[in-house]
Amino acid sequence: MGNNKRNITRMTGKKLIGLIIFLIVGLFFGKDGVNFVGKIFNDVPIINVSTEIKMPNNLGKAEIIRVKDGDTFVCKYKGKKETVRLIGVDTPESVHPDQNRNSEAGKKASEITKEILLEGSEVFLEFDVAQRDKYGRILAYVYLEQEGNPMLNVYLLEKGYAKLMTVPPNVKYVEKFKKIAKQNRKF
């Protein structure tokens, strides 16, 4: 009888260890390359990009207010509420007034951007030649506040959530973006 009790305890211990390992792996290696540990601690999830573009020094910091869609968000920048449009990428529509233009791919891109740009999190903005578009939105390359400072624009291209969209004169990283887009075409 004592031997059976010891076996049950050993079995329960193994299951507990397995559960703990499963939870740790699940937290650190979530879906789509997004690390969800950051979400638990209300922090920016850690994303990985294979194309590194080194973040320049002295960039402006912005605080995320909300995400509009996959390539546009609202933030507080220099004390003002601003809308920011990512440079060099275009995600499918998800919130267009004409519902026929919205797509599942657009909803997915928007969802991914919302998972990364959490309300209250901070990002760094890098500008190119034209700092605003015809709608008054800030145009920027967006770096995340985490180790390595990965660029959100690159992440969306690498994972296939966005396609390349070049609008001169903002072409600082166009060659790198073209290379990424060619390797990661989904739509």
Side-chain angles (χ1 to χ4, degrees), residues 139-159:
L139 300 171
Y141 302 104
V142 177
Y143 297 87
L144 303 177
E145 189 173 51
Q146 65 183 50
E147 187 177 333
N149 299 107
M151 185 193 290
L152 178 60
N153 316 50
V154 168
Y155 177 79
L156 293 173
L157 270 178
E158 278 190 357
K159 298 300 179 186

Side-chain angles (χ1 to χ4, degrees), residues 88-105:
V89 298
D90 185 39
T91 60
E93 295 292 341
S94 63
V95 293
H96 196 279
D98 178 358
Q99 292 297 314
N100 294 325
R101 295 187 61 185
N102 296 328
S103 70
E104 286 304 312

Side-chain angles (χ1 to χ4, degrees), residues 30-151:
K31 63 180 181 172
D32 298 321
V34 177
N35 175 329
F36 291 97
V37 170
K39 290 183 104 173
I40 291 170
F41 298 104
N42 198 25
D43 199 359
V44 176
I46 297 169
I47 65 168
N48 299 306
V49 295
S50 58
T51 306
E52 186 178 322
I53 295 177
K54 189 146 178 73
M55 184 177 87
N57 294 326
N58 303 320
L59 296 183
K61 234 182 194 184
E63 182 183 332
I64 302 300
I65 295 173
R66 70 181 179 89
V67 172
K68 285 187 162 191
D69 62 19
D71 54 33
T72 310
F73 62 91
V74 178
C75 66
K76 185 175 181 181
Y77 179 69
K78 293 188 175 182
K80 288 177 56 182
K81 186 177 175 180
E82 297 275 8
T83 299
V84 175
R85 173 67 167 79
L86 300 179
I87 296 173
V89 298
D90 185 39
T91 60
E93 295 292 341
S94 63
V95 293
H96 196 279
D98 178 358
Q99 292 297 314
N100 294 325
R101 295 187 61 185
N102 296 328
S103 70
E104 286 304 312
K107 290 175 188 170
K108 181 66 177 175
S110 182
E111 177 185 308
I112 292 296
T113 301
K114 285 177 183 174
E115 289 175 358
I116 295 168
L117 300 181
L118 301 175
E119 181 182 336
S121 63
E122 293 184 328
V123 294
F124 299 95
L125 305 180
E126 179 184 8
F127 305 109
D128 209 327
V129 177
Q131 291 190 11
R132 292 193 183 264
D133 65 9
K134 64 183 179 182
Y135 306 108
R137 301 177 297 188
I138 289 177
L139 300 171
Y141 302 104
V142 177
Y143 297 87
L144 303 177
E145 189 173 51
Q146 65 183 50
E147 187 177 333
N149 299 107
M151 185 193 290

Side-chain angles (χ1 to χ4, degrees), residues 171-182:
V171 295
K172 183 174 187 172
Y173 298 116
V174 72
E175 292 308 315
K176 287 184 180 185
F177 281 18
K178 280 181 183 178
K179 187 175 179 181
I180 296 165
K182 187 175 181 182

